[in-house]
């Protein structure tokens, strides 16, 4: 079995801490900071007291701006990764992070907050398009599933970090005076990316396509260690060539895919697995769980605490999911995860309707556990 070297860990952690973490942080940031940002806009004159309808509309635009930016990022960054390499495509997300952090921390008005959310969405979308690709191409085959799940782990850590820092009852940065200092965390993680990733090698697959086998072999030796036998390195290069030859030299468009029945199965599986994640309803949990609990009668401070606990469970469950990924199999985890989510949604809905708040919170915990074991960790690299 190929060992995981310090160089490989450096590349995986630098890319996921600096890019994947931003996605999770930006997702969790809006859940508990809604009240603080509303008070900020009232103090600066951008919002008036008691105008709930206007605030709800503008806040919804700010929250959804992240998804709009994510859509743009996932469209643009795969092509960028093919042109300049996976490593430099990941590094290019840093500019969006720095700019968005400033605009969100010190918004001149609603337009600045919404634009900041769009910009951070572009960076997060780019990270989701390039980081799993980079990690899967530099990881040994036997640990590809485990290392690939680090992307999802860093997303969950980003979510719980943002929510914990903005929770009033924890007395960290969750108040009207300190909330914008929370944005220093993603800035620090982006700086880590800028310091560590440039010294790492790029994807051997990309180098094989653009600079030849000798350059790809040099990158593989860097990731696998100088003591790795030459025949193992060239065996990996041969496997890459074989896979690339099956893919062909040209990118298949929609018409080519529609005409080639051999591609229908893999495309349907890839689309289905990713839709199971995107349409699972987990975003409503991550964005609005505090408000849902508050509307159900839970005091605001405790609603924030429950939100942090739910997100913490997401982190804790993702760790064993990483270890099970290469043992239990993707299909088993996906089926069990989605089945458990359906049951949890049913219990949560009935509990909220009947006023059983603690039961609803318990169902939310079960929901997050099932998501983390199933669609949350599989969809990122199944394609």
């Amino acid at each position: 079995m190929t060992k995981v070297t310090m160089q490989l860990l450096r590349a995986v952690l630098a890319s996921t801490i600096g890019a994947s973490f931003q996605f999770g942080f930006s997702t969790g940031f809006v859940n508990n900071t809604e009240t603080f940002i509303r008070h900020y806009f009232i103090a600066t004159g951008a919002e008036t007291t008691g105008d709930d309808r206007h605030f709800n509309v503008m806040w919804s635009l700010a929250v959804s701006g992240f998804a709009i930016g994510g859509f743009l990022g996932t469209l643009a960054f795969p092509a960028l990764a093919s042109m300049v390499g996976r490593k430099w495509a990941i590094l290019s997300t840093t500019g969006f992070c720095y700019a968005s952090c400033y605009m969100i921390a010190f918004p001149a008005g609603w337009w600045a907050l919404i634009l900041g959310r769009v910009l951070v969405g572009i960076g997060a979308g780019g990270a989701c398009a390039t980081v799993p690709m980079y990690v899967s191409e530099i990881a040994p085959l036997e640990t590809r599933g485990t290392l690939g799940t680090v992307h999802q782990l860093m997303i969950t850590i980003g979510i719980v970090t943002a929510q914990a820092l903005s929770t009033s009852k924890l007395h960290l940065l969750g108040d009207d005076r300190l909330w914008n200092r929370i944005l220093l965390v993603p800035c620090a993680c982006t700086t880590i990316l800028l310091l560590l990733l440039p010294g790492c090698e790029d994807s051997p697959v990309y180098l094989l396509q653009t600079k030849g086998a000798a350059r790809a072999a040099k990158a593989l030796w860097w990731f696998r260690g100088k003591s790795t036998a030459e025949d193992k390195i060239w065996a990996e290069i041969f496997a890459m060539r074989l896979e690339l030859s099956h893919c062909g030299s040209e990118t298949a468009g929609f018409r080519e895919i529609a005409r080639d029945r051999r591609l229908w199965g893999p495309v349907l599986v890839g689309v289905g697995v990713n839709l199971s994640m995107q349409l699972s309803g987990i975003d409503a949990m991550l964005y609005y769980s505090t408000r849902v609990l508050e509307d159900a009668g839970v005091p605001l401070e405790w609603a924030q605490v429950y939100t942090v606990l739910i997100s913490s469970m997401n982190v804790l469950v993702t760790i064993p999911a990483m270890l099970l990924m290469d043992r239990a199999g993707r299909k088993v985890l996906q089926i069990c995860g989605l089945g458990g989510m359906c049951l949890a949604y049913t219990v949560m809905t009935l509990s909220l309707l009947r006023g059983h708040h603690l039961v609803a919170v318990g169902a939310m915990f079960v929901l997050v556990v099932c998501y983390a074991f199933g669609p949350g960790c599989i969809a990122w690299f199944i394609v």
Side-chain angles (χ1 to χ4, degrees), residues 73-316:
T74 51
L75 285 180
F77 273 78
L80 183 63
S82 297
M83 289 190 293
V84 302
R86 286 45 160 162
K87 181 179 76 172
W88 295 108
I90 294 171
L91 285 168
S92 66
T93 64
T94 57
F96 294 100
C97 178
Y98 283 132
S100 63
C101 284
Y102 179 80
M103 297 187 76
I104 296 172
F106 306 102
W110 279 110
W111 67 271
L113 182 64
I114 294 171
L115 180 58
R117 292 285 295 172
V118 172
L119 289 177
V120 75
I122 293 174
C128 289
T130 53
V131 171
M133 183 194 309
Y134 179 61
V135 172
S136 66
E137 291 176 354
I138 66 176
L141 182 61
E142 0 6 330
T143 58
R144 190 167 294 170
T146 300
L147 291 177
T149 316
V150 177
H151 170 69
Q152 172 64 15
L153 177 64
M154 286 302 170
I155 291 175
T156 61
I157 292 175
I159 292 171
V160 73
T161 300
Q163 292 176 347
L165 290 174
S166 57
T167 297
S168 300
K169 215 166 185 61
L170 297 181
H171 304 293
L172 297 172
L173 299 174
D175 61 39
D176 292 334
R177 187 170 50 89
L178 299 175
W179 70 269
N180 49 10
R181 298 185 187 181
I182 298 173
L183 278 305
L184 291 173
V185 175
C187 287
C189 293
T190 300
T191 304
I192 291 174
L193 174 66
L194 285 174
L195 291 175
L196 294 182
L197 194 60
C200 300
E201 285 285 355
D202 209 331
S203 160
V205 176
Y206 166 76
L207 294 173
L208 179 62
Q209 289 177 299
T210 57
K211 298 185 179 180
R215 184 66 183 85
K218 180 182 177 183
L220 267 181
W221 256 306
W222 190 87
F223 287 116
R224 305 291 181 262
K226 297 295 182 182
S227 60
T228 306
E230 186 175 352
D231 59 333
K232 289 186 177 181
I233 295 295
W234 288 106
E236 282 200 61
I237 296 294
F238 177 77
M240 291 177 193
R241 275 180 167 167
L242 188 63
E243 185 176 353
L244 290 172
S245 67
H246 289 162
C247 295
S249 58
E250 296 182 359
T251 302
F254 178 79
R255 290 183 179 179
E256 289 76 10
I257 293 174
R259 291 171 182 170
D260 191 346
R261 293 191 177 185
R262 296 175 300 174
L263 298 177
W264 291 2
V267 169
L268 287 175
V269 170
V271 171
V273 170
N274 278 276
L275 283 177
S276 73
M277 177 181 68
Q278 299 297 335
L279 301 180
S280 66
I282 195 67
D283 285 344
M285 283 283 300
L286 299 177
Y287 289 138
Y288 296 111
S289 59
T290 299
R291 178 180 282 196
V292 169
L293 291 170
E294 191 180 3
D295 290 344
V298 179
L300 174 60
E301 289 187 347
W302 282 108
Q304 292 177 344
V305 172
Y306 287 141
T307 292
V308 173
L309 291 175
I310 291 169
S311 297
S312 300
M313 180 63 69
N314 195 9
V315 176
L316 295 176

